[in-house]
Amino acid sequence: MKLKAKIVEEVKIPDKTIIVEFEGDEKKQHFEVKCLFSPFYKEMKKSDLWILNIKMESEIFTDPNTDKKSYFTHLCKKAELSHTNYKKD
């Protein structure tokens, strides 16, 4: 599924995830999206708008002490620059 998202936190060299806000989300929630590429070397920057090809996968973590489950579901396969708030020289 393709979704337009704005990057809301700075991207650093070792990052394997980006924090985004999906366009049209009235609650303006922030989501962590795991990438199959380096977001830093893809030149993703805070405030950029990207079209993300999101594939949903379920990763389930069970706390061994409480048996409580946590679910992680986002995986980004591809990203295309849609629009940026930065000017390129």
Side-chain angles (χ1 to χ4, degrees):
M1 122 183 43
K2 288 188 176 186
L3 299 170
K4 190 180 280 189
K6 178 173 80 171
I7 299 175
V8 294
E9 290 187 13
E10 292 296 330
V11 178
K12 298 177 183 70
I13 291 176
D15 292 347
K16 299 292 182 200
T17 63
I18 53 176
I19 308 301
V20 302
E21 179 182 300
F22 291 109
E23 187 173 83
D25 180 11
E26 293 177 4
K27 293 182 180 180
K28 301 200 179 287
Q29 302 170 88
H30 292 181
F31 293 90
E32 181 179 33
V33 178
K34 187 183 344 179
C35 298
L36 295 176
F37 53 84
S38 168
F40 180 83
Y41 291 110
K42 192 84 166 170
E43 298 183 6
M44 294 180 141
K45 297 178 183 74
K46 184 177 179 179
S47 297
D48 280 354
L49 290 175
W50 287 79
I51 295 173
L52 303 177
N53 187 358
I54 301 289
K55 178 181 176 187
M56 307 300 273
E57 283 189 356
S58 180
E59 177 185 340
I60 303 169
F61 171 78
T62 304
D63 186 319
N65 298 323
T66 64
D67 283 336
K68 184 175 177 171
K69 292 182 181 180
S70 296
Y71 297 87
F72 305 95
T73 56
H74 295 102
L75 176 68
C76 179
K77 290 178 73 172
K78 297 179 185 174
E80 304 163 10
L81 185 60
S82 172
H83 175 273
T84 180
N85 292 333
Y86 294 99
K87 285 179 148 180
K88 293 205 175 192
D89 295 330

